[in-house]
Amino acid sequence: MIVQNLANTIKSAVDKRIAEESRARRGTIQNGSFISGSKSYPFTAAVDCHTGNGRRVWAQLSTTGKAVVVGA
């Protein structure tokens, strides 16, 4: 019973993390980085949008901490 509860808790935490990572976030491009809230993420790819300084964009965050810009 204890092992099953632990397994369920771990699964719930992993599922929550995956769900949070799969959501696009709104932010601004500044000096080659994607800024969302108070955090900055480097980005190396953009899909069909301009990525000049000050542009407002949507980005997906990867598990490695990089942003992929997916729209403006």
Side-chain angles (χ1 to χ4, degrees), residues 26-61:
R26 186 78 167 152
T28 306
I29 300 295
Q30 194 65 42
N31 298 324
S33 293
F34 171 73
I35 312 293
S36 180
S38 62
K39 295 190 177 185
S40 173
Y41 306 91
F43 77 92
T44 56
V47 180
D48 196 29
C49 62
H50 298 286
T51 57
N53 273 346
R55 301 284 276 185
R56 296 281 294 162
V57 297
W58 289 94
Q60 291 280 117
L61 301 180

